[in-house]
């Protein structure tokens, strides 16, 4: 692929991606990608190990992966919402990469908000005001809302 070219991949052709397909079968050449961003996708892959292997396959040596995934969160994208991953689960899943760093985001107050009122705008505004002081700058590795993985090949 030419340097600096951005390629989007999505299962839904209505989103008009460059590549229509699943993360478990990426129709790109091996070692052809420098940087991969995957946001809130892994939990929708029925075969996450194949997803990790495919990302590794298409990346050039020295390439970087940035991936986010929820941990404690409502089922979404029904019916294709399959998994939730712990930090150690992500480290294990992406162990084929040379360097892996996993950070957590959110805490039990963020989680409570998401589970109780995340999809109810009427409740969300006043609950946001009530719990806002407890959600800023404090991340829990025990009860996070999700994780960010950065991996290098």
């Amino acid at each position: 692929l030419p340097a600096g070219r951005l390629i989007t991949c999505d299962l839904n052709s209505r989103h008009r991606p460059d590549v229509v397909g699943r993360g478990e079968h990426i129709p790109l050449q091996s070692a052809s990608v420098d940087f991969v961003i995957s946001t809130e996708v892994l939990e929708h892959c029925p075969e996450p190990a194949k997803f990790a292997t495919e990302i590794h396959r298409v990346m050039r040596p020295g390439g970087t992966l940035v991936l986010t995934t929820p941990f404690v969160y409502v089922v979404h994208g029904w019916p294709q919402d399959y998994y939730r991953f712990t930090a150690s689960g992500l480290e294990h899943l992406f162990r084929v990469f040379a360097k892996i760093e996993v950070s957590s985001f959110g805490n039990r107050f963020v989680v409570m908000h998401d589970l109780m009122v995340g999809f109810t705008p009427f409740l969300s505004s006043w609950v946001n005001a009530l719990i806002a002081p407890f959600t800023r700058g404090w991340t829990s590795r025990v009860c996070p809302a999700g994780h960010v993985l950065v991996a290098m090949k």
Side-chain angles (χ1 to χ4, degrees), residues 42 67 69-72 83-94 100 102-104 141-144 146-149:
L42 185 62
L67 177 141
T69 190
F71 180 59
V72 181
Y83 301 101
R84 297 295 182 265
F85 298 91
T86 62
S88 56
L90 289 170
E91 290 168 355
H92 177 76
L93 193 60
F94 290 90
I100 303 167
V102 179
S103 303
S104 301
R141 197 128 163 118
V142 177
C143 188
H147 303 289
V148 178
L149 175 135

Side-chain angles (χ1 to χ4, degrees), residues 10 16 23 27 30 53-54 59 75 78-79 83 93 96 99 101 103-104 121-123 137 143:
D10 198 307
R16 299 177 49 190
S30 296
T53 300
E54 272 295 275
M59 288 180 66
V75 172
W78 181 263
Y83 301 101
L93 193 60
V96 295
K99 183 178 178 185
E101 187 174 311
S103 303
S104 301
F122 169 74
L123 293 174
C143 188

Side-chain angles (χ1 to χ4, degrees), residues 2-13:
R5 179 159 179 235
L6 173 67
I7 297 174
T8 59
C9 179
D10 198 307
L11 190 56
N12 189 337
S13 62

Side-chain angles (χ1 to χ4, degrees), residues 47-135:
E47 300 179 84
K50 283 187 178 181
F51 177 87
T53 300
E54 272 295 275
I55 296 293
H56 190 268
R57 179 189 68 78
V58 300
M59 288 180 66
R60 291 186 175 116
T64 302
L65 164 65
V66 175
L67 177 141
T68 65
T69 190
F71 180 59
V72 181
Y73 196 71
V74 296
V75 172
H76 59 284
W78 181 263
Q80 288 81 31
D81 188 354
Y82 300 103
Y83 301 101
R84 297 295 182 265
F85 298 91
T86 62
S88 56
L90 289 170
E91 290 168 355
H92 177 76
L93 193 60
F94 290 90
R95 68 189 178 279
V96 295
F97 285 80
K99 183 178 178 185
I100 303 167
E101 187 174 311
V102 179
S103 303
S104 301
F105 60 85
N107 56 45
R108 65 190 73 237
F109 296 103
V110 173
V111 167
M112 286 186 326
H113 173 268
D114 288 347
L115 295 178
M116 291 182 351
V117 298
F119 298 106
T120 310
F122 169 74
L123 293 174
S124 186
S125 61
W126 68 266
V127 172
N128 277 345
L130 182 66
I131 69 167
F134 304 102
T135 62

